[in-house]
């Protein structure tokens, strides 16, 4: 999926002042009631009216006495490492009928494995009822007298088992254990090793109300009619709620699907449709799909809809199509173009052709993640697929290109070769997040996607990973909630960052060759992180390089956090030492981290640098779990370490080092690349958070921004500067800080202006500068935005796409209740997805407490605000100083409803906690948040809560360390107007 901050999730993230937004991989409503019926009820279910039902009457077996006792409760299963630290449950699990459930693990035993699924589904989009039939061909790995299979919220009405000669094998016990979403079938005889069997099941369920499993979504067509579509989202563990299956990624099998539908609909699945057969005696049609290749259950997908389509054939003869609601098809051509280019490029890059005959991309109106890489049928949130150049911003366009590049990378990395178990999720997601910039760069060469990697991936990952409550990239996970919780910034962005670091020292060509080998060796199978290191080692050896890839990379994957490299220069001699960087001073040891005893928070660090003597060619020294010293020559005036910030570490210079760098930036900032400038800004502001240097250093450094014209450094700097503004919101320094930022921004505001022109990066920068000017209270900017807002509202002015965010947000902030209501109406009626996102952000800017309150309450009503959008609202409202307390109050007041809606094996609950508590800055707030969450169950939000609490502590620490220095510095520097000449002082 694309970035959890989404997901497949291309996570769409946003820094505090960016029009991007954050999307959780998972969201939203989980049906509260468990629908698995008791065995007695299952006996009585009469299945009527389903043409394809095969009558099998085995139900008497339930009550038959003398069932063989299951023999393997609690026994370790060889070959599967099941969370070795978990203690066996003290009480045996109890099935729905009160009997003991004979299997206590969350993972399935490995006695049987599926080869082939034949699935027939009859969903009804009006009644929500789904009737299903399936036949699974199994093979026996180890002798057994039981089959354990996943099933969740399914009413199993019939089941039977046959051997390969068609002879029935009696099922003497059928048990359901909802906590592990497992079904148990106890058999009257032993299944022989190496033999094949056929398991048949009939089941009933309903289309889900949330955004997982087989669920219903709606859109409004051009005539204002509400239309239903049925669609799927299975990753990671929801396939089991659509049909019984062996729902673990390594249990790959072939799928053959049939789906019943009404004539006005059509269906899509992973494979092309083979036939459509009218069903006798009804007006229905049954679509049959071609058999799939071997694939994991979480990648199965199907959709029933009445969409329109735009198609073409790629250079490598893949049928590529983009499906959208009928009134959006004119926004599909960009996606089609980008996907064609990227698919052809990946074909060449991976040296393997895309293995399916077709690839569909489809926009889903209600979608939890950014997108999901289902093999051959990639589902997208509308904003991640639709682009209209008259209306959508450059940022929105970039989201589309990046998310497509992410999902298409998964077609190889993830789909063709899949992680063996979810603990290696980072392999899938980190890699796709790494490739998304490469793919987007190929489709849009002018976008400097490699440079943008820093601000999109590296910086957010370093920020989260500096918390004690972070976690290692490779983390044991077991149950669905744990699995859910690692679809996070660490798996996606830190994963991508360490692959980028690896590329920086082995080179793109060797990385590519290693990836090809890895894909080739494990096609249609599964692999682990070790397999990737193996392949890369083999290739580097071949090229005569004897790096210990596994040893190097494990210091980054097995340990949480990253090193701060402290450097000093004396008489031409550099001393560099490493130690884990934690931004919060408290609790510097973590008792909960058993994995790190051998590595001791030391890393293999590729330490790179350039110097004033040799500014164009970098030098590298390995710090192999150690500190290093080396000579750079006595005439060196400055050194910049971590060139291009390709390494996942931070640099702490000594004060002479910082002074030299500040001097360089102020006199000749172009001696360093934009990436190096951005990395210095990110490092210095972060070190100040940690309290290790004075705020004055960052402020001195920031003065060079008067001359900075590039997007990457500005984006980094404004993110930090406005974070400070948030932190001092109710202190006297607040106005001074805004005034200072205004001084920095003003020359650029005049230079950049209100014409939506220039390169992609210039347009991204324009948005940031204009919005910064508004936030600093620049009257010209505010009036300009208000004027455009007025013309838009009253005379239908078409505002240039990249100005819209600023115009709408400013219009609402300084506008009336009617202005707000107008935006609400646009949110409800616009057919431009990028526009509805801007409305959600703009409405959060209101300064009217009543509107704010109402807006917050709308999030509890899925008719008013789609569940997929709730996070955006809560996050944006919490960033508005006037919205902080109302948002926190709302979350507390309606906690039971929120946790009912979002709290079930879903990552969203954690994101909600973070969004509403992270603006807090005082011990009082901290106490309040702590005591509230002590009383409630946060389920899968546990780690996010720990991160949120640590963030508040960090803010308190920031105040203690920096408020005085900051205030003093601002007083000094604002008493003299900041002019170009003042920077000469340095
Ligand atoms: C499943 O069975 C239960 C109990 O009989 C029933 O209440 C529920 O409606 C059934 N669900 C479906 C989708 O058939
Ligand atoms: C769904 O149910 C409605 C109402 O019972 C019926 O008219 C329609 O044909 C059904 N559709 C399917 C696909 O079964």
């Amino acid at each position: 999926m694309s970035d959890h901050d989404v997901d497949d999730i291309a996570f769409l993230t946003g820094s505090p002042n960016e029009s991007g937004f954050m999307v959780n991989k998972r969201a939203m409503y989980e049906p509260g009631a468990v629908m698995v019926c008791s065995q007695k009820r299952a006996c009585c279910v009469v299945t009527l009216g389903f043409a394809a039902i095969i009558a099998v009457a085995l139900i008497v077996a339930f009550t038959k006495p003398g069932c063989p006792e299951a023999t393997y409760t609690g026994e370790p299963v060889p070959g599967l490492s099941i969370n070795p630290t978990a203690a066996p449950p003290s009480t045996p699990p109890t099935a729905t009928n009160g009997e003991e459930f004979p299997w206590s693990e969350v993972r399935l035993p490995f006695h049987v494995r599926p080869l082939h699924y034949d699935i027939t589904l009859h969903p009804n989009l009006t009644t929500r009822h789904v009737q299903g039939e399936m036949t699974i061909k199994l093979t026996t790995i180890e002798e057994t007298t039981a089959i354990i299979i996943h099933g969740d919220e399914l009413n199993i009405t019939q089941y039977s088992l046959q051997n390969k000669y068609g002879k029935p094998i009696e099922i003497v016990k059928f048990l359901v254990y909802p906590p592990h979403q497992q079904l148990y079938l106890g058999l009257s005889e032993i299944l022989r090793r190496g033999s094949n069997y056929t398991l048949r099941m009939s089941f009933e369920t309903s289309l889900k109300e949330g955004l997982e499993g087989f669920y219903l979504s709606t859109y409004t067509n051009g005539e204002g009619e509400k239309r239903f579509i049925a669609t799927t989202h299975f990753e990671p563990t929801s396939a089991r709620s659509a049909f019984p299956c062996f729902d673990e990624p390594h249990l790959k099998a072939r799928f053959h699907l049939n789906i019943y539908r009404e004539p006005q609909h059509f269906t899509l699945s992973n494979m092309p449709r083979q036939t459509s057969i009218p069903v006798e005696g009804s007006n229905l049609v049954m679509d049959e799909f071609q058999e799939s290749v071997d694939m994991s259950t979480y990648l199965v997908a199907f959709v029933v809809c009445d969409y329109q389509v735009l198609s073409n054939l790629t250079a490598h003869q893949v049928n590529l199509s983009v499906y959208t609601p009928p009134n959006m098809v004119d926004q599909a051509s960009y996606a089609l173009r980008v996907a064609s280019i990227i698919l052809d490029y990946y074909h060449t890059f991976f040296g393997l052709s895309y293995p399916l005959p077709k690839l569909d991309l489809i926009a889903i109106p209600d979608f939890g993640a950014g997108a999901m890489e289902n093999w051959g049928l990639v589902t997208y949130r509308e904003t991640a697929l639709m682009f209209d150049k008259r209306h959508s911003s450059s940022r929105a366009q970039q989201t589309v290109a990046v998310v497509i590049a992410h999902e298409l990378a998964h077609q190889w990395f993830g789909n063709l070769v899949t992680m063996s178990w979810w603990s290696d999720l980072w392999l899938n997601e980190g890699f796709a997040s790494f490739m998304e910039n490469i793919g987007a760069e190929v489709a849009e060469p002018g976008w400097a996607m490699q440079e943008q990697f820093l601000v999109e991936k590296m910086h957010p990952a370093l920020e989260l990973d500096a918390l004690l409550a972070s976690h290692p990239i490779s983390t044991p996970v077991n149950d669905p909630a744990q699995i859910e919780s690692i679809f996070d910034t660490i798996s996606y962005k830190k994963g991508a960052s360490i692959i980028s670091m690896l590329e920086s020292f082995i080179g793109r060509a060797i990385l590519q060759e290693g990836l090809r080998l890895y894909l080739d060796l494990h096609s249609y199978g599964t692999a682990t992180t070790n397999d990737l290191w193996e392949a890369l080692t083999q290739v580097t050896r071949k090229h005569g390089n004897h790096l210990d890839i596994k040893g190097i990379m494990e210091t980054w994957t097995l340990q949480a956090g990253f090193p701060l490299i402290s450097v000093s220069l004396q008489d031409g001699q550099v001393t560099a030492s490493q130690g884990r960087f934690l931004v919060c001073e408290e609790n510097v040891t973590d008792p909960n981290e058993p994995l790190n005893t051998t590595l001791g928070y030391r890393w293999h660090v590729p330490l790179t640098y350039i110097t004033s003597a040799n500014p164009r060619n970098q030098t590298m020294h390995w710090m192999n779990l150690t500190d290093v010293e080396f000579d750079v020559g006595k005439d060196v005036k400055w050194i910049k370490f971590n060139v291009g910030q390709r390494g996942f570490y931070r640099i702490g210079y000594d004060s002479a080092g910082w002074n030299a760098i500040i001097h360089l930036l102020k006199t000749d900032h172009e001696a360093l690349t934009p990436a190096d400038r951005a990395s210095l800004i990110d490092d210095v502001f972060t070190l100040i958070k940690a309290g290790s240097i004075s705020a004055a250093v960052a402020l001195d450094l920031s003065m060079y921004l008067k001359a900075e014209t590039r997007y990457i450094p500005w984006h980094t700097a404004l993110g930090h500067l406005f974070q400070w503004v948030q932190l001092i919101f109710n202190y006297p320094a607040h106005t001074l800080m805004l005034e200072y930022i205004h001084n920095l921004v003003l020359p650029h505001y005049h230079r950049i202006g209100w014409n939506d022109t220039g390169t992609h990066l210039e347009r991204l920068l324009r948005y940031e500068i204009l919005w910064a000017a508004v936030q600093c209270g620049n009257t010209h900017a505010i009036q300009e935005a208000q004027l455009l807002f007025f013309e838009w509202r009253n005379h239908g002015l078409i505002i240039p796409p990249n100005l819209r965010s600023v115009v709408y947000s400013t219009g609402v902030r300084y506008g009336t209740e009617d202005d707000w209501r107008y935006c609400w109406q646009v949110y409800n009626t616009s057919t431009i997805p990028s526009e509805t996102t801007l409305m959600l952000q703009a409405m959060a800017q209101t300064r009217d407490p009543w509107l704010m309150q109402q807006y917050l309450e709308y999030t509890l009503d899925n008719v008013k605000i789609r569940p997929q959008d709730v996070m955006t609202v809560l996050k944006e409202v919490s960033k508005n100083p006037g919205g902080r307390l109302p948002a926190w109050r709302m979350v507390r007041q309606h906690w039971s409803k929120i946790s009912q809606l979002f709290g079930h094996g879903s990552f969203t609950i954690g994101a909600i906690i973070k969004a509403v508590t992270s603006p807090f800055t005082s011990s009082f707030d901290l106490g309040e948040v702590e005591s509230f969450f002590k009383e409630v169950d946060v389920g899968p939000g546990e780690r996010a809560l720990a991160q949120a609490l640590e963030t508040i502590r960090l803010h308190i620490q920031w105040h203690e360390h920096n408020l005085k220095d900051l205030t003093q510095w601002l007083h000094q520097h604002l008493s003299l107007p900041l002019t170009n000449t003042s920077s000469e002082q340095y």
Side-chain angles (χ1 to χ4, degrees):
M1 304 194 281
S2 120
D3 200 10
H4 150 78
D5 283 52
V6 263
D7 303 28
D8 201 1
I9 289 172
F11 280 2
L12 315 177
T13 57
S15 75
N17 48 350
E18 180 193 329
S19 72
F21 57 99
M22 185 185 239
V23 178
N24 286 293
K25 161 185 180 293
R26 320 300 313 164
M28 307 296 178
Y29 293 6
E30 298 263 341
V34 173
M35 292 198 300
V36 177
C37 68
S38 72
Q39 58 134 290
K40 283 215 188 71
R41 283 201 179 120
C43 303
C44 315
V45 174
V46 184
T47 55
L48 291 174
F50 187 48
I53 282 265
I54 310 154
V56 262
L58 288 161
I59 296 163
V60 274
F62 278 136
T63 48
K64 197 173 164 175
C67 308
E69 280 307 303
T71 50
Y72 45 91
T73 303
E75 256 177 45
V77 179
L80 285 181
S81 74
I82 297 174
N83 189 5
T85 56
S90 46
T91 52
T94 306
T96 45
N97 66 349
E99 278 188 58
E100 183 177 332
F101 191 82
W103 181 252
S104 61
E105 302 287 351
V106 180
R107 297 285 305 269
L108 298 178
F110 77 173
H111 300 78
V112 298
R113 63 167 301 153
L115 300 172
H116 186 276
Y117 292 83
D118 201 321
I119 303 172
T120 300
L121 292 170
H122 181 164
N124 190 311
L125 278 55
T126 314
T127 63
R128 307 186 87 106
H129 185 254
V130 182
Q131 192 138 23
E133 286 287 307
M134 65 187 308
T135 305
I136 311 178
K137 201 182 283 169
L138 308 166
T139 190
T140 313
I141 311 289
E142 289 283 330
E143 287 189 349
T144 180
T145 55
I147 293 171
I148 294 153
I149 186 169
H150 284 117
D152 183 27
E153 301 174 354
L154 302 172
N155 285 356
I156 308 292
T157 52
Q158 302 185 353
Y159 43 83
S160 67
L161 184 70
Q162 293 179 347
N163 70 12
K164 64 182 169 202
Y165 307 109
K167 180 178 157 280
I169 293 168
E170 206 179 342
I171 297 175
V172 291
K173 190 183 280 222
F174 177 82
L175 300 173
V176 176
Y177 186 53
H180 289 173
Q181 304 165 343
Q182 288 167 351
L183 312 174
Y184 173 94
L185 295 92
L187 311 175
S188 63
E189 57 186 86
I190 293 173
L191 304 186
R192 299 286 158 210
R193 182 194 302 225
S195 294
N196 292 354
Y197 297 86
T198 305
L199 175 64
R200 291 207 167 82
M201 289 185 147
S202 304
F203 56 91
E204 294 183 27
T205 181
S206 54
L207 291 168
K208 304 289 181 279
E209 290 179 30
L211 303 175
E212 288 169 356
F214 190 17
Y215 70 93
L216 211 54
S217 176
T218 62
Y219 72 92
T220 308
N221 73 5
E223 287 75 55
E225 294 162 352
K226 192 170 175 185
R227 288 291 168 87
F228 289 89
I229 73 165
T231 184
T232 56
H233 184 100
F234 291 163
E235 189 180 23
T237 59
S238 292
R240 63 189 68 169
S241 72
F243 50 86
C245 56
F246 298 86
D247 199 9
E248 297 190 359
H250 64 113
L251 295 171
K252 290 190 175 186
R254 292 174 182 234
F255 290 83
H256 175 244
L257 266 88
N258 300 296
I259 300 177
Y260 283 76
R261 62 170 169 89
E262 291 172 22
Q264 77 275 20
H265 288 134
F266 63 90
T267 59
L268 296 169
S269 183
N270 307 84
M271 298 300 290
R273 198 162 45 240
Q274 190 159 22
T275 56
S276 294
I277 305 165
V279 178
E280 244 177 86
S282 77
N283 71 336
L284 302 182
V285 180
M286 190 188 81
D287 290 337
E288 180 186 357
F289 293 89
Q290 291 174 21
E291 184 182 284
S292 77
V293 296
D294 277 305
M295 59 188 272
S296 305
T297 45
Y298 79 91
L299 293 169
V300 173
F302 34 89
V303 178
V304 183
C305 67
D306 59 355
Y307 276 8
Q308 285 186 8
V309 61
L310 205 63
S311 303
N312 76 13
L313 199 62
T314 68
H316 294 102
Q317 308 300 309
V318 179
N319 255 312
L320 192 65
S321 305
V322 179
Y323 288 87
T324 76
N327 53 7
M328 286 184 189
V329 75
D330 56 343
Q331 299 173 60
S333 53
Y334 181 68
L336 188 65
R337 183 176 81 76
V338 167
S340 304
I341 297 170
I342 296 173
L343 198 67
D344 282 330
Y345 175 73
Y346 285 165
H347 176 114
T348 314
F349 186 90
F350 294 124
L352 281 172
S353 46
Y354 171 75
L356 308 185
K358 64 96 177 175
L359 175 59
D360 299 330
L361 286 65
I362 185 167
I364 306 295
D366 299 276
F367 199 78
M372 174 63 213
E373 71 266 21
N374 316 298
W375 214 349
L377 176 56
V378 184
T379 44
Y380 291 82
R381 185 178 271 250
E382 287 175 347
T383 44
L385 195 62
M386 309 283 79
F387 173 73
D388 182 331
K389 70 172 185 307
R390 290 164 307 157
H391 299 293
S392 311
S393 67
S394 302
R395 164 71 50 193
Q397 184 179 17
Q398 183 169 313
T399 297
V400 171
V402 164
V403 177
I404 288 175
H406 181 104
E407 304 311 329
L408 297 197
H410 274 314
Q411 304 301 307
W412 284 262
F413 219 98
N415 299 7
L416 186 60
V417 178
T418 310
M419 74 253 138
S420 300
W421 178 244
W422 297 106
S423 45
D424 274 330
L425 176 72
W426 86 274
L427 266 186
N428 269 16
E429 297 303 349
F431 188 77
S433 303
F434 169 74
M435 283 306 290
E436 73 190 29
N437 283 53
I438 294 177
E441 177 90 33
V442 168
E444 297 285 359
W447 287 5
M449 290 309 299
Q450 295 301 340
E451 207 172 292
Q452 291 200 56
F453 186 88
L454 274 198
V455 295
E456 300 292 330
K457 309 283 164 12
M458 185 76 90
H459 293 175
L462 286 166
E463 184 181 358
L464 179 61
D465 208 24
L467 297 181
L468 190 64
S470 183
H471 65 91
I473 280 182
S474 289
T475 296
V477 290
N478 210 19
D479 63 51
Q482 290 168 345
I483 294 168
E484 205 62 65
S485 79
I486 57 167
F487 282 84
D488 68 354
T489 298
I490 296 299
S491 298
Y492 283 74
K493 300 192 175 191
K494 183 178 180 183
S497 299
I498 66 161
I499 292 169
S500 167
M501 175 167 66
L502 172 68
E503 183 195 30
S504 76
F505 61 79
I506 64 173
R508 171 77 53 91
I510 290 187
L511 178 68
Q512 187 179 350
E513 198 179 330
L515 294 172
R516 286 176 170 201
L517 179 65
Y518 166 88
L519 290 173
D520 199 44
L521 286 175
H522 305 286
S523 285
Y524 302 103
T526 53
T528 61
T529 301
N530 264 343
D531 294 321
L532 179 62
W533 304 149
E534 283 286 319
L536 287 164
T537 303
Q538 210 172 313
V539 170
T540 39
R541 290 245 164 85
K542 195 179 108 193
H543 289 273
N545 188 336
H546 290 269
L547 281 177
D548 174 12
I549 304 260
K550 177 170 145 78
I552 293 168
M553 295 310 287
E554 279 188 346
T555 63
W556 301 94
T557 57
L558 298 182
Q559 306 186 99
F562 58 87
L564 170 69
I565 311 296
S566 305
V567 293
S568 61
L569 173 66
Q570 205 129 52
D571 300 329
Q573 183 80 8
V574 169
T575 311
S577 58
Q578 60 164 303
R580 180 176 183 185
F581 179 69
L582 286 168
V583 76
C584 220
E585 285 169 337
E586 281 174 52
N587 310 322
V588 282
T589 53
D590 179 0
N592 304 320
E593 229 161 81
L595 280 163
N596 304 291
T597 44
T598 54
L599 294 166
Y601 289 111
R602 300 184 79 77
W603 287 263
H604 289 282
V605 182
L607 182 66
T608 55
Y609 62 88
I610 48 176
T611 70
S612 55
N614 196 355
R616 293 279 160 252
N617 298 315
Q618 72 172 48
T619 311
M620 184 173 82
H621 289 282
W622 278 104
M623 300 175 75
N624 290 318
L625 308 173
T626 55
D627 303 341
V628 289
E629 285 186 27
F630 49 86
D631 214 49
V632 291
K634 285 207 172 38
D635 53 349
V636 158
K637 293 195 188 60
W638 54 262
I639 312 186
K640 162 72 176 64
F641 288 92
N642 199 2
V643 182
Q645 205 176 14
R646 296 298 302 273
F648 196 74
Y649 53 87
R650 292 200 182 278
I651 299 292
Y653 297 90
D654 59 8
S655 62
W658 280 120
N659 284 339
I661 290 216
I662 290 169
H663 179 77
L664 175 67
L665 287 174
K666 286 182 172 172
T667 51
D668 179 19
H669 67 278
E670 285 178 348
L672 299 174
T673 61
D676 276 329
R677 281 145 32 206
S679 87
L680 288 165
I681 294 167
D682 202 49
D683 279 352
V684 80
F685 276 89
T686 305
L687 292 175
I688 281 155
K689 269 194 214 170
S692 50
I693 47 176
S694 156
V697 181
L699 289 164
D700 284 344
L701 187 146
S702 72
M703 290 171 78
Y704 104 90
L705 289 165
K706 291 208 109 183
E708 180 61 81
T709 57
R710 296 293 293 258
Y711 166 69
I712 303 290
W714 264 115
H715 175 87
T716 309
L718 289 172
H720 284 290
L721 290 166
F722 278 104
Q723 195 178 13
W724 285 19
V725 170
Q726 288 262 352
L727 290 171
I728 56 174
F729 166 64
N730 42 7
Y731 289 83
H734 182 247
T735 351
L736 295 177
M737 188 69 196
L738 286 177
E739 193 183 333
Y740 174 64
I741 299 173
H742 191 222
N743 284 345
L744 293 177
V745 163
L746 198 57
H748 301 285
Y749 175 76
H750 291 310
R751 180 174 62 81
I752 280 174
W754 285 81
N755 284 328
D756 187 7
T757 56
T759 64
H760 183 71
L761 290 187
E762 282 162 3
R763 290 167 196 248
L764 295 182
L765 177 61
R766 176 172 297 107
Y767 159 70
E768 304 227 357
I769 296 288
L770 297 185
W771 183 229
V774 168
Q775 287 180 291
C776 293
N778 179 299
T779 12
H780 182 269
I782 293 168
Q783 282 169 1
E784 191 72 22
Q786 282 183 299
L787 186 67
L788 289 169
F789 186 87
F790 180 86
E791 291 297 320
W792 167 71
R793 218 204 112 171
N794 297 296
H795 304 121
L797 175 76
I798 307 277
I799 302 172
N802 286 293
L803 305 182
R804 290 188 183 192
S805 176
V806 174
V807 168
Y808 300 154
S809 292
T810 312
V812 171
R813 184 187 280 197
Y814 296 99
T816 61
E817 179 169 342
D818 277 353
D819 291 329
W820 194 92
R821 300 224 172 271
Y822 185 76
C823 290
W824 175 248
Q825 187 202 328
V826 174
Y827 168 71
N828 282 294
T829 54
S830 174
T831 55
I832 314 284
S834 57
E835 199 76 350
T836 58
T837 302
L838 294 185
M839 289 304 133
L840 284 173
Q841 293 168 338
M843 287 185 287
Q845 291 296 326
T846 184
R847 297 185 300 175
D848 178 332
W850 151 241
L851 286 173
M852 184 82 81
Q853 187 57 29
Q854 196 174 50
Y855 194 34
L856 285 168
E857 280 169 16
Y858 285 176
T859 61
L860 298 169
D861 180 348
N862 66 2
V863 177
K864 291 217 159 60
I865 303 229
R866 288 187 191 256
Q868 65 167 15
D869 293 333
V870 167
M871 263 309 300
T872 306
V873 176
L874 290 178
K875 187 165 160 248
E876 296 294 326
V877 168
S878 302
K879 283 193 317 202
N880 178 343
R884 272 178 203 183
L885 293 176
W888 169 229
R889 189 164 171 271
M890 203 276 300
V891 165
R892 278 182 303 169
Q893 188 179 351
H894 298 284
W895 180 258
S896 61
K897 175 143 195 201
I898 289 171
S899 73
Q900 186 197 332
L901 295 180
F902 299 102
H904 221 286
S906 155
F907 192 81
T908 308
I909 202 76
I912 289 177
I913 295 170
K914 278 190 176 177
V916 300
T917 64
S918 65
F920 290 139
T921 57
S922 75
S923 315
F924 176 79
D925 298 327
L926 176 64
E928 225 185 27
V929 175
E930 271 174 336
S931 65
F932 176 75
F933 285 108
K934 223 170 257 160
E935 307 299 321
V936 302
D937 177 20
V938 296
E942 204 67 59
R943 182 182 289 133
L945 174 60
Q947 290 169 352
L949 293 172
E950 191 176 348
T951 302
I952 303 175
R953 269 186 224 112
L954 173 61
H955 292 163
I956 298 167
Q957 170 189 311
W958 186 95
H959 273 242
E960 283 163 6
H961 282 300
N962 298 314
L963 197 57
K964 206 166 127 253
D965 283 359
L966 171 69
T967 313
Q968 200 173 12
W969 191 96
L970 289 171
H971 273 297
Q972 271 168 12
H973 287 76
L974 291 169
S975 56
L976 310 163
L978 245 175
T979 65
N980 282 329
T981 49
S982 73
S983 61
E984 309 292 320
Q985 289 165 226
Y986 286 83

